[in-house]
Coordinates of all heavy atoms in Angstrom, one line a residue:
M1 N -13.6 38.9 -60.2 CA -13.8 39.4 -58.9 C -14.6 38.3 -58.1 O -14.2 38.0 -56.9 CB -14.7 40.7 -59.0 CG -14.9 41.4 -57.7 SD -13.3 41.8 -56.8 CE -13.9 42.4 -55.2
L2 N -15.6 37.8 -58.7 CA -16.4 36.7 -57.9 C -15.6 35.5 -57.7 O -15.6 35.0 -56.5 CB -17.7 36.4 -58.8 CG -18.7 35.5 -58.1 CD1 -19.5 36.2 -56.9 CD2 -19.8 35.1 -59.1
A3 N -14.8 35.1 -58.7 CA -13.9 34.0 -58.7 C -13.0 34.1 -57.4 O -12.6 33.3 -56.7 CB -13.2 33.7 -59.9
K4 N -12.5 35.3 -57.2 CA -11.5 35.6 -56.2 C -12.2 35.4 -54.8 O -11.5 34.9 -53.9 CB -11.1 37.0 -56.4 CG -9.6 37.3 -55.8 CD -9.2 38.7 -56.0 CE -7.8 39.1 -55.3 NZ -7.5 40.4 -55.5
I5 N -13.4 36.0 -54.7 CA -14.1 35.9 -53.4 C -14.4 34.4 -53.1 O -14.1 33.9 -51.9 CB -15.5 36.6 -53.5 CG1 -15.2 38.1 -53.6 CG2 -16.3 36.3 -52.3 CD1 -16.3 39.1 -53.9
I6 N -14.9 33.6 -54.1 CA -15.1 32.1 -53.9 C -13.8 31.6 -53.4 O -13.7 30.7 -52.5 CB -15.6 31.6 -55.2 CG1 -17.1 32.1 -55.4 CG2 -15.6 30.0 -55.1 CD1 -17.6 31.7 -56.8
L7 N -12.6 31.8 -54.1 CA -11.3 31.3 -53.7 C -11.0 31.5 -52.2 O -10.5 30.7 -51.5 CB -10.2 31.8 -54.7 CG -8.9 31.2 -54.6 CD1 -9.0 29.7 -55.1 CD2 -7.8 31.9 -55.3
I8 N -11.2 32.8 -51.9 CA -10.9 33.3 -50.5 C -11.7 32.4 -49.5 O -11.2 32.0 -48.4 CB -11.1 34.8 -50.3 CG1 -10.0 35.5 -51.1 CG2 -11.1 35.1 -48.8 CD1 -10.2 37.1 -51.3
I9 N -13.1 32.3 -49.8 CA -14.0 31.5 -49.1 C -13.4 30.0 -48.9 O -13.5 29.5 -47.8 CB -15.5 31.6 -49.5 CG1 -16.0 33.0 -49.4 CG2 -16.3 30.6 -48.8 CD1 -17.3 33.2 -50.1
L10 N -13.1 29.4 -49.9 CA -12.6 28.1 -50.0 C -11.3 27.9 -49.2 O -11.3 27.0 -48.4 CB -12.3 27.6 -51.5 CG -13.6 27.2 -52.3 CD1 -13.1 27.0 -53.7 CD2 -14.2 25.9 -51.7
I11 N -10.5 28.9 -49.3 CA -9.2 28.8 -48.5 C -9.6 28.9 -46.9 O -9.1 28.3 -46.1 CB -8.3 29.9 -49.0 CG1 -7.6 29.6 -50.3 CG2 -7.1 30.1 -48.0 CD1 -6.9 30.7 -51.0
Y12 N -10.6 29.8 -46.7 CA -10.9 30.0 -45.3 C -11.5 28.7 -44.7 O -11.3 28.3 -43.6 CB -12.0 31.1 -45.3 CG -12.5 31.3 -43.9 CD1 -11.6 32.0 -42.9 CD2 -13.7 31.1 -43.5 CE1 -12.0 32.3 -41.7 CE2 -14.2 31.3 -42.2 CZ -13.3 32.0 -41.4 OH -13.8 32.2 -40.0
I13 N -12.5 28.1 -45.5 CA -13.1 26.9 -45.2 C -12.0 25.7 -44.9 O -12.1 25.0 -43.9 CB -14.1 26.4 -46.1 CG1 -15.4 27.3 -46.2 CG2 -14.6 24.9 -45.8 CD1 -16.2 27.1 -47.3
C14 N -11.0 25.7 -45.8 CA -10.0 24.7 -45.7 C -9.2 24.9 -44.3 O -8.9 24.0 -43.6 CB -9.0 24.7 -46.9 SG -9.7 23.9 -48.3
Y15 N -8.9 26.2 -44.1 CA -8.1 26.5 -43.0 C -8.9 26.2 -41.7 O -8.4 25.6 -40.8 CB -7.9 28.0 -43.1 CG -7.3 28.6 -41.8 CD1 -6.0 28.4 -41.4 CD2 -8.2 29.4 -40.9 CE1 -5.5 29.0 -40.2 CE2 -7.6 30.0 -39.8 CZ -6.3 29.7 -39.5 OH -5.8 30.2 -38.3
K16 N -10.2 26.5 -41.6 CA -11.0 26.2 -40.5 C -11.1 24.6 -40.3 O -11.0 24.1 -39.2 CB -12.5 26.7 -40.7 CG -12.6 28.1 -40.4 CD -12.3 28.7 -39.1 CE -13.5 29.1 -38.4 NZ -13.3 29.5 -37.0
T17 N -11.2 23.9 -41.3 CA -11.5 22.4 -41.3 C -10.1 21.8 -40.7 O -10.0 21.1 -39.8 CB -11.6 21.9 -42.6 OG1 -12.8 22.5 -43.2 CG2 -11.9 20.3 -42.6
I18 N -9.0 22.3 -41.3 CA -7.7 21.7 -40.8 C -7.4 22.1 -39.4 O -7.0 21.3 -38.5 CB -6.5 22.3 -41.7 CG1 -6.6 21.7 -43.1 CG2 -5.2 22.0 -41.1 CD1 -5.9 22.3 -44.2
K19 N -7.8 23.3 -39.0 CA -7.4 23.8 -37.7 C -8.3 23.0 -36.6 O -7.9 22.6 -35.6 CB -8.0 25.3 -37.5 CG -7.2 26.1 -36.4 CD -7.6 27.5 -36.3 CE -7.2 28.0 -35.0 NZ -7.7 29.2 -34.8
S20 N -9.7 22.8 -37.0 CA -10.6 22.0 -36.0 C -10.1 20.5 -36.0 O -10.1 20.0 -34.9 CB -12.0 22.0 -36.5 OG -12.2 21.4 -37.7
L21 N -9.6 20.0 -37.1 CA -9.1 18.5 -37.1 C -7.9 18.5 -36.3 O -7.8 17.6 -35.4 CB -8.7 18.2 -38.5 CG -9.9 17.7 -39.4 CD1 -9.4 17.4 -40.8 CD2 -10.5 16.3 -38.8
L22 N -7.1 19.5 -36.4 CA -5.7 19.5 -35.5 C -6.0 19.5 -34.0 O -5.5 18.9 -33.2 CB -4.8 20.5 -36.0 CG -4.0 20.3 -37.2 CD1 -3.2 21.5 -37.6 CD2 -3.0 19.2 -36.9
S23 N -7.0 20.6 -33.7 CA -7.3 20.8 -32.4 C -8.0 19.6 -31.7 O -7.9 19.2 -30.5 CB -8.1 22.1 -32.1 OG -9.4 21.9 -32.8
S24 N -9.0 19.0 -32.5 CA -9.6 17.8 -31.9 C -8.7 16.6 -31.8 O -8.9 15.8 -30.9 CB -10.9 17.4 -32.9 OG -10.4 16.8 -34.1
Y25 N -7.8 16.5 -32.7 CA -6.8 15.5 -32.6 C -5.9 15.6 -31.3 O -5.7 14.6 -30.5 CB -5.8 15.4 -33.8 CG -4.7 14.4 -33.7 CD1 -5.0 13.1 -33.8 CD2 -3.3 14.8 -33.4 CE1 -3.9 12.2 -33.7 CE2 -2.3 13.9 -33.3 CZ -2.6 12.6 -33.5 OH -1.6 11.7 -33.4
T26 N -5.5 16.8 -31.1 CA -4.7 17.2 -29.9 C -5.5 16.9 -28.6 O -5.0 16.2 -27.7 CB -4.2 18.5 -29.9 OG1 -3.6 18.9 -31.2 CG2 -3.1 18.8 -28.9
A27 N -6.7 17.5 -28.6 CA -7.6 17.4 -27.4 C -7.9 15.7 -27.2 O -7.9 15.3 -26.0 CB -8.9 18.1 -27.6
G28 N -8.2 15.0 -28.2 CA -8.5 13.6 -28.2 C -7.2 12.9 -27.5 O -7.5 12.0 -26.6
S29 N -6.1 13.0 -28.0 CA -4.9 12.4 -27.4 C -4.6 12.8 -26.0 O -4.2 11.9 -25.3 CB -3.6 12.5 -28.4 OG -3.4 13.9 -28.3
K30 N -4.9 14.0 -25.7 CA -4.7 14.5 -24.3 C -5.6 13.7 -23.4 O -5.3 13.3 -22.3 CB -4.9 16.0 -24.1 CG -3.6 16.7 -24.2 CD -3.9 18.2 -24.1 CE -2.8 19.1 -24.5 NZ -3.1 20.5 -24.7
T31 N -7.0 13.7 -23.8 CA -7.9 13.0 -23.0 C -7.5 11.5 -22.8 O -7.8 11.0 -21.7 CB -9.2 13.1 -23.7 OG1 -9.6 14.5 -24.1 CG2 -10.4 12.6 -22.8
K32 N -7.1 10.9 -23.9 CA -6.8 9.5 -23.7 C -5.7 9.2 -22.7 O -5.8 8.4 -21.9 CB -6.3 9.0 -25.1 CG -6.3 7.5 -25.2 CD -5.8 7.0 -26.5 CE -5.8 5.4 -26.6 NZ -4.7 5.0 -25.8
V33 N -4.7 10.1 -22.8 CA -3.5 10.0 -21.8 C -4.0 10.2 -20.4 O -3.7 9.5 -19.5 CB -2.4 11.0 -22.1 CG1 -1.4 11.1 -21.0 CG2 -1.8 10.6 -23.4
Y34 N -4.9 11.2 -20.2 CA -5.5 11.5 -18.8 C -6.3 10.3 -18.4 O -6.1 9.8 -17.2 CB -6.3 12.7 -19.0 CG -7.3 13.0 -17.8 CD1 -6.6 13.5 -16.7 CD2 -8.6 12.7 -17.7 CE1 -7.3 13.8 -15.5 CE2 -9.3 13.0 -16.6 CZ -8.7 13.4 -15.5 OH -9.4 13.7 -14.4
Y35 N -7.1 9.6 -19.2 CA -7.9 8.5 -18.7 C -7.0 7.3 -18.4 O -7.2 6.7 -17.5 CB -9.0 8.1 -19.7 CG -10.2 9.0 -19.6 CD1 -10.6 9.7 -20.7 CD2 -10.9 9.0 -18.5 CE1 -11.8 10.6 -20.6 CE2 -12.0 9.8 -18.3 CZ -12.4 10.6 -19.4 OH -13.5 11.5 -19.3
D36 N -6.0 7.1 -19.3 CA -5.0 6.0 -19.1 C -4.3 6.1 -17.7 O -4.3 5.2 -16.9 CB -3.9 5.9 -20.1 CG -4.5 5.4 -21.4 OD1 -5.6 4.7 -21.3 OD2 -3.9 5.4 -22.5
E37 N -3.9 7.4 -17.4 CA -3.3 7.6 -16.1 C -4.2 7.4 -15.0 O -3.9 6.8 -14.1 CB -2.6 9.0 -16.1 CG -1.4 9.2 -16.7 CD -0.8 10.5 -16.9 OE1 -1.5 11.5 -16.3 OE2 0.1 10.8 -17.5
K38 N -5.4 7.9 -15.1 CA -6.4 7.9 -14.1 C -6.7 6.5 -13.8 O -6.8 6.0 -12.6 CB -7.6 8.7 -14.5 CG -8.4 9.1 -13.3 CD -9.7 9.9 -13.7 CE -10.6 10.0 -12.5 NZ -12.0 10.2 -12.9
E39 N -7.0 5.6 -14.8 CA -7.3 4.1 -14.6 C -6.1 3.5 -14.0 O -6.4 2.6 -13.1 CB -7.6 3.6 -16.0 CG -9.0 3.7 -16.4 CD -9.2 3.3 -17.8 OE1 -8.6 2.4 -18.3 OE2 -10.1 3.9 -18.4
K40 N -5.0 3.7 -14.4 CA -3.8 3.0 -13.9 C -3.6 3.4 -12.4 O -3.3 2.5 -11.6 CB -2.5 3.6 -14.7 CG -1.5 2.6 -14.7 CD -0.3 3.3 -15.6 CE 1.0 2.9 -15.2 NZ 2.0 3.6 -16.0
I41 N -3.9 4.6 -12.0 CA -3.7 5.1 -10.5 C -4.8 4.5 -9.8 O -4.5 4.0 -8.7 CB -3.5 6.6 -10.5 CG1 -2.3 7.0 -11.2 CG2 -3.5 6.9 -9.0 CD1 -2.2 8.5 -11.4
D42 N -6.0 4.6 -10.2 CA -7.2 4.2 -9.3 C -7.5 2.7 -9.4 O -8.2 2.3 -8.6 CB -8.5 5.0 -9.8 CG -8.4 6.5 -9.4 OD1 -7.5 6.8 -8.7 OD2 -9.1 7.3 -10.0
D43 N -6.8 2.1 -10.2 CA -7.0 0.6 -10.4 C -6.7 -0.2 -9.1 O -7.5 -1.0 -8.8 CB -6.1 0.1 -11.6 CG -6.7 -1.1 -12.1 OD1 -7.9 -1.4 -11.9 OD2 -6.0 -1.8 -12.9
V44 N -5.7 0.3 -8.4 CA -5.2 -0.6 -7.3 C -5.8 0.0 -6.0 O -5.5 1.1 -5.6 CB -3.6 -0.6 -7.2 CG1 -3.2 -1.5 -6.2 CG2 -3.0 -1.0 -8.5
M45 N -6.7 -0.7 -5.4 CA -7.2 -0.4 -4.1 C -6.6 -1.3 -3.0 O -6.6 -2.6 -3.2 CB -8.7 -0.5 -4.1 CG -9.4 0.4 -5.1 SD -9.3 2.1 -4.6 CE -10.5 2.4 -3.2
L46 N -6.1 -0.7 -2.0 CA -5.5 -1.4 -0.9 C -6.2 -1.2 0.4 O -7.0 -0.2 0.5 CB -4.1 -0.9 -0.7 CG -3.0 -1.0 -1.8 CD1 -1.8 -0.4 -1.6 CD2 -2.8 -2.6 -2.2
K47 N -6.1 -2.2 1.2 CA -6.9 -2.2 2.5 C -5.8 -1.8 3.6 O -4.7 -2.4 3.8 CB -7.5 -3.6 2.8 CG -8.4 -3.6 3.9 CD -8.8 -5.0 4.2 CE -9.9 -5.1 5.3 NZ -10.2 -6.5 5.6
D48 N -6.3 -0.8 4.4 CA -5.4 -0.5 5.5 C -5.4 -1.5 6.5 O -6.6 -1.9 7.0 CB -6.1 0.9 6.0 CG -5.1 1.4 7.1 OD1 -4.6 0.7 8.1 OD2 -4.8 2.7 7.1
P49 N -4.3 -2.1 7.0 CA -4.2 -3.2 7.9 C -4.7 -2.7 9.4 O -5.0 -3.6 10.2 CB -2.9 -3.7 7.9 CG -2.1 -2.5 7.4 CD -2.9 -1.9 6.4
Y50 N -4.8 -1.5 9.6 CA -5.0 -0.8 10.9 C -6.5 -0.6 11.0 O -7.2 -1.1 11.9 CB -4.2 0.3 11.2 CG -4.4 0.8 12.7 CD1 -3.9 0.2 13.8 CD2 -5.3 2.0 12.8 CE1 -4.2 0.6 15.0 CE2 -5.5 2.4 14.1 CZ -5.0 1.7 15.3 OH -5.2 2.3 16.6
C51 N -7.0 0.3 10.1 CA -8.4 0.8 10.2 C -9.3 0.0 9.2 O -10.5 0.2 9.2 CB -8.6 2.3 10.0 SG -8.2 2.8 8.3
E52 N -8.8 -0.9 8.5 CA -9.5 -1.7 7.5 C -10.4 -1.0 6.5 O -11.4 -1.4 6.1 CB -10.2 -2.8 8.3 CG -9.5 -3.7 9.1 CD -10.2 -4.9 9.6 OE1 -11.4 -4.8 9.8 OE2 -9.6 -5.9 9.9
V53 N -9.9 0.2 6.1 CA -10.4 1.1 5.0 C -9.7 0.8 3.7 O -8.5 0.7 3.7 CB -10.4 2.6 5.5 CG1 -10.6 3.5 4.4 CG2 -11.6 2.8 6.5
Y54 N -10.6 0.8 2.6 CA -10.0 0.7 1.3 C -9.5 2.0 0.8 O -10.4 3.0 0.9 CB -10.9 -0.1 0.4 CG -10.9 -1.6 0.6 CD1 -11.8 -2.0 1.5 CD2 -10.1 -2.4 0.0 CE1 -11.8 -3.5 1.8 CE2 -10.0 -3.7 0.2 CZ -11.0 -4.2 1.1 OH -10.9 -5.6 1.3
F55 N -8.5 2.1 0.2 CA -8.0 3.4 -0.4 C -7.1 3.2 -1.6 O -6.6 2.1 -1.8 CB -7.3 4.2 0.6 CG -6.1 3.5 1.1 CD1 -4.8 3.7 0.6 CD2 -6.2 2.5 2.2 CE1 -3.7 2.9 1.0 CE2 -5.0 1.8 2.6 CZ -3.9 2.0 2.0
P56 N -7.1 4.2 -2.6 CA -6.2 4.0 -3.7 C -4.7 4.0 -3.3 O -4.3 4.8 -2.4 CB -6.5 5.2 -4.6 CG -7.2 6.3 -3.8 CD -7.8 5.5 -2.6
E57 N -4.0 3.1 -4.0 CA -2.6 3.0 -3.6 C -1.8 4.2 -3.6 O -0.8 4.4 -2.9 CB -1.8 2.0 -4.6 CG -0.4 1.5 -4.1 CD 0.2 0.5 -5.0 OE1 -0.3 0.3 -6.1 OE2 1.2 -0.1 -4.6
R58 N -2.1 5.3 -4.6 CA -1.3 6.4 -4.7 C -1.3 7.3 -3.4 O -0.6 8.1 -3.1 CB -1.8 7.3 -5.9 CG -3.3 7.6 -5.7 CD -3.8 8.6 -6.7 NE -5.3 8.7 -6.5 CZ -6.1 9.4 -7.2 NH1 -5.6 10.2 -8.0 NH2 -7.3 9.3 -7.0
D59 N -2.5 7.1 -2.5 CA -2.6 7.8 -1.4 C -2.0 7.1 -0.1 O -2.1 7.5 1.1 CB -4.1 8.1 -1.0 CG -4.8 9.0 -2.1 OD1 -4.0 9.8 -2.7 OD2 -6.0 8.8 -2.2
G60 N -1.4 6.0 -0.3 CA -1.0 5.1 0.7 C 0.3 5.5 1.3 O 1.1 6.2 0.7
I61 N 0.5 5.2 2.6 CA 1.7 5.5 3.3 C 2.3 4.1 3.5 O 1.8 3.2 4.1 CB 1.5 6.1 4.7 CG1 0.5 7.3 4.6 CG2 2.8 6.4 5.3 CD1 1.1 8.5 3.8
H62 N 3.6 3.9 2.8 CA 4.2 2.6 2.9 C 5.1 2.4 4.1 O 5.7 3.5 4.6 CB 5.1 2.5 1.6 CG 4.3 2.3 0.4 ND1 4.1 1.1 -0.3 CD2 3.5 3.2 -0.4 CE1 3.2 1.3 -1.3 NE2 2.9 2.5 -1.5
L63 N 5.1 1.3 4.6 CA 6.1 0.9 5.8 C 6.4 -0.6 5.5 O 5.7 -1.5 5.3 CB 5.1 1.0 7.0 CG 5.8 0.5 8.2 CD1 6.9 1.5 8.8 CD2 4.7 0.3 9.4
N64 N 7.9 -0.7 5.7 CA 8.4 -1.9 5.7 C 8.4 -2.5 7.1 O 9.3 -2.1 7.9 CB 9.8 -1.9 5.0 CG 10.3 -3.3 4.5 OD1 10.1 -4.1 5.2 ND2 10.7 -3.3 3.2
H65 N 7.6 -3.5 7.3 CA 7.7 -3.9 8.8 C 8.0 -5.4 8.7 O 7.3 -6.2 8.1 CB 6.2 -3.7 9.2 CG 6.0 -4.5 10.6 ND1 6.7 -4.0 11.7 CD2 5.3 -5.5 11.0 CE1 6.4 -4.7 12.7 NE2 5.5 -5.7 12.3
E66 N 9.1 -5.7 9.3 CA 9.7 -7.1 9.4 C 9.8 -7.8 8.0 O 9.2 -8.9 7.8 CB 9.0 -7.9 10.4 CG 9.2 -7.4 11.9 CD 8.4 -8.1 12.8 OE1 7.6 -9.0 12.5 OE2 8.4 -7.7 14.1
G67 N 10.2 -7.0 7.0 CA 10.3 -7.5 5.6 C 9.0 -7.6 4.9 O 9.0 -8.0 3.7
E68 N 7.9 -7.2 5.4 CA 6.6 -7.1 4.9 C 6.3 -5.7 4.5 O 6.5 -4.8 5.3 CB 5.5 -7.6 5.9 CG 4.4 -8.5 5.3 CD 3.4 -8.9 6.2 OE1 3.8 -9.1 7.4 OE2 2.2 -8.9 5.8
N69 N 5.7 -5.4 3.3 CA 5.5 -4.2 2.9 C 4.0 -3.7 3.1 O 3.1 -4.3 2.5 CB 5.7 -4.0 1.3 CG 5.5 -2.5 0.8 OD1 5.9 -1.6 1.5 ND2 5.1 -2.4 -0.4
L70 N 3.8 -3.0 4.2 CA 2.5 -2.6 4.6 C 2.2 -1.2 4.1 O 3.1 -0.4 3.9 CB 2.4 -2.7 6.2 CG 2.7 -4.0 6.8 CD1 2.7 -3.9 8.3 CD2 1.6 -5.0 6.5
V71 N 0.9 -1.0 3.7 CA 0.5 0.2 3.2 C -0.7 0.7 3.9 O -1.7 0.0 4.1 CB 0.1 0.3 1.6 CG1 -0.1 1.7 1.1 CG2 1.1 -0.5 0.9
F72 N -0.6 1.9 4.5 CA -1.6 2.5 5.4 C -2.3 3.8 4.5 O -1.7 4.3 3.7 CB -1.1 3.0 6.7 CG -0.5 1.8 7.5 CD1 0.8 1.4 7.3 CD2 -1.3 1.2 8.4 CE1 1.4 0.5 8.1 CE2 -0.7 0.1 9.1 CZ 0.6 -0.2 9.0
C73 N -3.6 4.0 5.0 CA -4.3 5.1 4.4 C -3.8 6.4 4.8 O -4.0 7.5 4.2 CB -5.9 4.9 4.7 SG -6.3 5.3 6.4
S74 N -3.2 6.5 6.0 CA -2.6 7.8 6.5 C -1.5 7.6 7.4 O -1.3 6.5 7.9 CB -3.7 8.6 7.2 OG -4.1 7.9 8.3
T75 N -0.7 8.6 7.7 CA 0.5 8.5 8.5 C -0.1 8.2 9.9 O 0.5 7.5 10.8 CB 1.3 9.9 8.6 OG1 0.4 10.9 8.8 CG2 2.0 10.0 7.2
E76 N -1.2 8.7 10.3 CA -1.9 8.5 11.6 C -2.1 7.1 11.8 O -1.7 6.5 12.9 CB -3.3 9.1 11.7 CG -3.7 9.7 13.0 CD -5.0 10.3 13.0 OE1 -5.5 10.8 11.9 OE2 -5.7 10.3 14.0
C77 N -2.6 6.3 10.9 CA -2.9 4.8 11.0 C -1.5 4.0 11.1 O -1.4 3.2 11.7 CB -3.7 4.3 9.7 SG -5.4 4.7 9.9
R78 N -0.5 4.6 10.3 CA 0.8 3.9 10.4 C 1.3 4.0 11.8 O 1.9 3.0 12.3 CB 1.7 4.5 9.3 CG 3.1 3.9 9.3 CD 4.1 4.8 8.6 NE 4.2 6.1 9.5 CZ 4.8 7.1 8.9 NH1 5.4 7.2 7.8 NH2 4.9 8.2 9.7
D79 N 1.2 5.4 12.3 CA 1.8 5.5 13.6 C 1.0 4.8 14.7 O 1.6 4.2 15.7 CB 1.8 7.0 14.0 CG 2.7 7.8 13.1 OD1 3.6 7.2 12.5 OD2 2.5 9.1 13.0
N80 N -0.3 4.7 14.6 CA -1.2 3.9 15.5 C -0.8 2.4 15.4 O -0.8 1.7 16.5 CB -2.6 4.2 15.2 CG -3.1 5.5 15.7 OD1 -2.5 6.1 16.5 ND2 -4.2 5.9 15.0
F81 N -0.5 1.9 14.1 CA -0.2 0.6 14.0 C 1.1 0.2 14.7 O 1.3 -0.6 15.6 CB -0.1 0.2 12.6 CG 0.4 -1.2 12.2 CD1 -0.5 -2.3 12.3 CD2 1.7 -1.3 11.9 CE1 0.0 -3.5 12.1 CE2 2.2 -2.7 11.7 CZ 1.3 -3.8 11.7
L82 N 2.1 1.1 14.5 CA 3.4 0.9 15.1 C 3.3 1.0 16.7 O 4.0 0.3 17.4 CB 4.4 2.0 14.6 CG 4.9 1.8 13.3 CD1 5.7 3.0 12.7 CD2 5.8 0.6 13.1
E83 N 2.5 1.9 17.1 CA 2.2 2.1 18.6 C 1.6 0.9 19.2 O 2.0 0.4 20.3 CB 1.4 3.3 18.9 CG 1.7 4.1 20.0 CD 0.8 5.4 20.2 OE1 1.1 6.3 19.5 OE2 -0.1 5.3 21.0
S84 N 0.6 0.2 18.5 CA -0.1 -0.9 19.1 C 0.9 -2.1 19.0 O 0.8 -3.1 19.9 CB -1.2 -1.3 18.1 OG -0.7 -1.8 16.8
L85 N 2.0 -2.1 18.2 CA 2.9 -3.2 18.3 C 3.8 -3.1 19.5 O 4.3 -4.1 20.0 CB 3.9 -3.2 17.0 CG 3.2 -3.5 15.7 CD1 4.2 -3.2 14.5 CD2 2.8 -5.0 15.6
N86 N 4.1 -1.9 19.8 CA 5.0 -1.7 20.9 C 4.4 -1.9 22.4 O 5.0 -1.9 23.4 CB 5.6 -0.2 20.9 CG 6.4 0.0 19.7 OD1 7.1 -1.0 19.3 ND2 6.5 1.1 19.2
K87 N 3.0 -2.1 22.3 CA 2.3 -2.3 23.6 C 2.5 -3.7 24.1 O 2.7 -4.7 23.4 CB 0.9 -1.9 23.5 CG 0.6 -0.4 23.7 CD -0.8 0.0 23.4 CE -1.1 1.6 23.5 NZ -2.3 1.8 22.9
Ligands
ZN101 ZN1 -6.3 3.8 8.1

């Protein structure tokens, strides 16, 4: 009877250990991917040629102007830039 209880406890401990190892492994790899993506996206900071503000490239508004690739912080700045050219 006592041996049976000890066996059940051992199986339970093994189960808990494996479960926590698996969940920490999964959470760890998820965190890693998240940080990799974040670093990759936030790494590139661009300067708005119109308002001269720095912003992450992912938020940028791209414009091909006379073969030059310009990136603006907002559609407003892009439109203001185009407007200033037409004056
Ligand atoms: Zn701007």
